[in-house]
Amino acid sequence: TEDGSTKLLRLYLATLGTTMYLSVLCFAQPFARVDDFQLAVGANLVLASTFLSGIAIKICTDAGGASVASEECAAYFGIDSAEDITTVAIVLGGAMLAVLSLVVTWRIVASARDPTI
């Protein structure tokens, strides 16, 4: 639609789909290797947190793209503006990606040290 960018429905559906897939992934455990499974779960957690932060940013901005009153944002999220929510989302997303990268690197290094016969 022409004003689809202002709708929250896409973000809600994306969050719902990602979390449902994450639940199915955790129950089914379709990967043979544990590190592949951990990587898939981590990637889906980063994706879900991105969609959730998008919802928070949309709630704190009006249709024109300007930030709404800081009291409303502070009441919902404890943060004063959409810009602050964006900063927190970027920092948390980067931290999650860094931790995920460290875990994958650690698993690769640990498996390389194991002797193979």
Side-chain angles (χ1 to χ4, degrees), residues 17-60:
T18 302
T19 54
M20 285 178 57
Y21 177 73
L22 184 60
S23 299
V24 169
L25 184 69
C26 287
F27 284 119
Q29 296 183 356
F31 298 103
R33 295 178 44 184
V34 175
D35 54 346
D36 288 340
F37 174 69
Q38 291 170 345
L39 186 61
V41 168
N44 278 293
L45 284 174
V46 170
L47 189 60
S49 68
T50 302
F51 290 140
L52 287 172
S53 62
I55 290 172
I57 291 167
K58 275 293 192 195
I59 288 174
C60 288

Side-chain angles (χ1 to χ4, degrees), residues 55-117:
I55 290 172
I57 291 167
K58 275 293 192 195
I59 288 174
C60 288
T61 54
D62 63 3
S67 293
V68 296
S70 63
E71 297 85 28
E72 292 179 26
C73 261
Y76 287 134
F77 306 109
I79 300 175
D80 291 335
S81 68
E83 291 83 13
D84 292 341
I85 291 175
T86 303
T87 303
V88 169
I90 289 171
V91 169
L92 287 177
M96 288 173 64
L97 286 173
V99 168
L100 188 61
S101 298
L102 287 174
V103 167
V104 169
T105 304
W106 176 72
R107 299 284 290 175
I108 290 171
V109 169
S111 66
R113 282 192 235 151
D114 293 339
T116 54
I117 297 177

